[in-house]
Amino acid sequence: MSELDSLKNRALDQLGACSDESTLRNWNSQYFGKNGEMLAALKKVSELPPESRKEYGQQANIVKEQLSASYETALKNCLEQAMLKSLETEKLDISLPGMVPPAGKLHLATQTLRDIQSTFAEMGFQVFRSREIEDDEFNFGLLNMPPHHPARDMWDTFHTTDPGLILRTHTSPGQIHVMRKFHPAPIRVILPGMCYRYEAITTRSEIMFHQVEGLVVGTNVSMTDLIGTITAFTRKMFGDSRQVRIRSSYFPFTEPSIEVDMDCIVCGGKGCPLCKKTGWLEIMGAGMVHPEVMKNGGYDPAKYSGFAFGMGPERIAMLRHAIEDIREFWGNDLRFLSQF
Ligand code: DAH
């Protein structure tokens, strides 16, 4: 009995000296573990003479209950203390502004494409997508550039390992696809998409870029319709007061061919670095669909006429946001892209 007493006192003293969770848990295994002292004391009952067993057993159980209750209380207090301490050190200020998770957004090229598309949609144009891998015939031949035509030099071409299959150098072959697919006229479509050119990459030229092609085919479609459409587009994209200037040009698939400028959005025509002191910014090539191209699309040029245009949305975005280097578009630098 006195052994039980001294076990109890020793255990309680030690328990009182435990300062943290781990010493408490060590205490617990010292007394209540598999080979723990408390269990050993309980087992001792079988070694005693029968007349002492009952009293010893009862007393041992009381000690066991006391010790385990003291342990539970001590552990609970200790954990509570630890939690209060951590609340003190890791104070949570719920009035602080929240952390906004970074959100993705559309690429500037996509934003610009969508702006262009909705501007033309308001004017009744539909969107038609055509293939990025073309054959030579569609990219050049059917656009009035037979093999060896010198104008082919205007478009440096990526060839595939399949003879005759190339990456389209412009969206103009889509004109043929649209005319062959949609009969009879009227046709009023834009064709947005990626184009590829085998060129040196510089601040002004990239090997991949978008174009938006436009095509209108009908009866009595004229140059004034073309100029009116382009002027309306320019004013919707760049502001109501924009002026448009038409220069004559050459493309094999249009006759006559023009290039379209608008007055400089920075200086309004006075001359500045953006317009290289000319007062004008070039925004697209265009023209009346060449009779040969019309025929190749399955339309009789004696009955039908049409106009076409082609522009570079990256260039449009560069003008709108004063971006000086086209390489920013596919450089994937988020510091650039996240500004838009
Ligand atoms: N395809 C021409 C280019 O890549 C742009 C162009 C010019 C398209 C005149 C047209 C057009 O539809 O009429 O340079």
Side-chain angles (χ1 to χ4, degrees):
M1 293 298 255
S2 68
E3 265 177 46
L4 275 178
D5 257 356
S6 70
L7 171 67
K8 178 178 130 185
N9 293 335
R10 183 159 49 84
L12 287 176
D13 282 350
Q14 279 180 13
L15 187 64
C18 286
S19 56
D20 58 15
E21 188 184 344
S22 89
T23 48
L24 278 169
R25 293 204 187 275
N26 286 341
W27 180 95
N28 192 44
S29 60
Q30 184 187 335
Y31 290 96
F32 288 94
K34 227 170 164 197
N35 301 313
E37 293 185 36
M38 189 63 236
L39 296 185
L42 282 167
K43 276 188 200 144
K44 253 193 192 149
V45 80
S46 57
E47 296 163 17
L48 296 175
E51 64 278 12
S52 323
R53 283 184 191 170
K54 188 176 173 204
E55 196 190 347
Y56 179 88
Q58 280 175 345
Q59 189 57 31
N61 269 322
I62 290 171
V63 170
K64 181 187 156 210
E65 292 305 323
Q66 280 178 342
L67 289 184
S68 80
S70 307
Y71 171 72
E72 291 304 331
T73 314
L75 184 65
K76 190 171 153 243
N77 289 340
C78 167
L79 292 178
E80 267 175 18
Q81 286 301 321
M83 192 165 81
L84 285 175
K85 214 177 189 172
S86 82
L87 279 180
E88 285 255 309
T89 50
E90 300 158 25
K91 261 189 198 148
L92 179 66
D93 181 351
I94 56 164
S95 67
L96 283 174
M99 277 186 278
V100 183
K105 49 161 90 170
L106 292 178
H107 192 284
L108 175 59
T110 309
Q111 292 179 32
T112 315
L113 271 176
R114 291 194 178 180
D115 280 354
I116 295 173
Q117 278 166 209
S118 55
T119 303
F120 278 109
E122 282 176 37
M123 293 193 267
F125 282 74
Q126 286 178 300
V127 173
F128 185 87
R129 289 188 180 273
S130 92
R131 45 204 252 198
E132 290 183 20
I133 296 185
E134 272 297 358
D135 53 33
D136 191 88
E137 184 69 356
F138 273 86
N139 198 79
F140 296 113
L142 296 168
L143 293 172
N144 206 22
M145 282 176 278
H148 312 298
H149 192 290
R152 286 186 176 215
D153 282 354
M154 287 161 75
W155 296 276
D156 301 298
T157 309
F158 279 115
H159 295 266
T160 70
T161 47
D162 280 324
L165 282 193
I166 60 169
L167 300 188
R168 66 175 173 194
T169 60
H170 52 174
T171 42
S172 301
Q175 291 186 27
I176 304 288
H177 291 296
V178 169
M179 284 193 272
R180 289 190 175 178
K181 186 159 180 187
F182 297 107
H183 266 275
I187 291 174
R188 199 157 32 171
V189 292
I190 53 168
L191 302 110
M194 198 56 106
C195 304
Y196 305 86
R197 284 187 202 168
Y198 183 52
E199 277 186 38
I201 299 174
T202 68
T203 51
R204 300 179 59 97
S205 67
E206 253 291 0
I207 58 172
M208 55 187 276
F209 53 89
H210 289 98
Q211 279 193 344
V212 178
E213 188 88 8
L215 176 70
V216 170
V217 175
T219 47
N220 300 321
V221 176
S222 70
M223 188 64 129
T224 31
D225 298 320
L226 170 58
I227 294 171
T229 305
I230 291 173
T231 306
F233 164 76
T234 309
R235 294 191 176 154
K236 277 188 190 211
M237 286 292 284
F238 290 97
D240 283 342
S241 58
R242 288 278 76 84
Q243 296 299 310
V244 164
R245 175 175 86 164
I246 306 297
R247 281 181 289 116
S248 100
S249 184
Y250 172 74
F251 298 102
F253 32 88
T254 42
E255 180 58 39
S257 302
I258 59 172
E259 262 166 288
V260 183
D261 300 339
M262 68 175 180
D263 58 332
C264 178
I265 46 175
V266 170
C267 64
K270 289 191 203 77
C272 72
L274 180 68
C275 59
K276 299 209 200 66
K277 300 219 158 57
T278 61
W280 295 95
L281 301 167
E282 185 190 321
I283 52 168
M284 67 178 86
M288 301 307 293
V289 180
H290 194 288
E292 283 304 316
V293 175
M294 207 68 130
K295 266 193 239 164
N296 293 336
Y299 277 90
D300 176 1
K303 265 173 75 184
Y304 291 98
S305 56
F307 67 73
F309 54 83
M311 71 182 98
E314 280 83 53
R315 190 172 152 71
I316 302 270
M318 287 170 82
L319 293 177
R320 270 177 141 185
H321 302 288
I323 298 163
E324 282 171 0
D325 191 338
I326 197 170
R327 293 172 297 187
E328 301 277 22
F329 281 86
W330 319 123
N332 274 345
D333 185 337
L334 285 178
R335 289 170 303 178
F336 169 79
L337 294 174
S338 59
Q339 294 177 67
F340 304 99

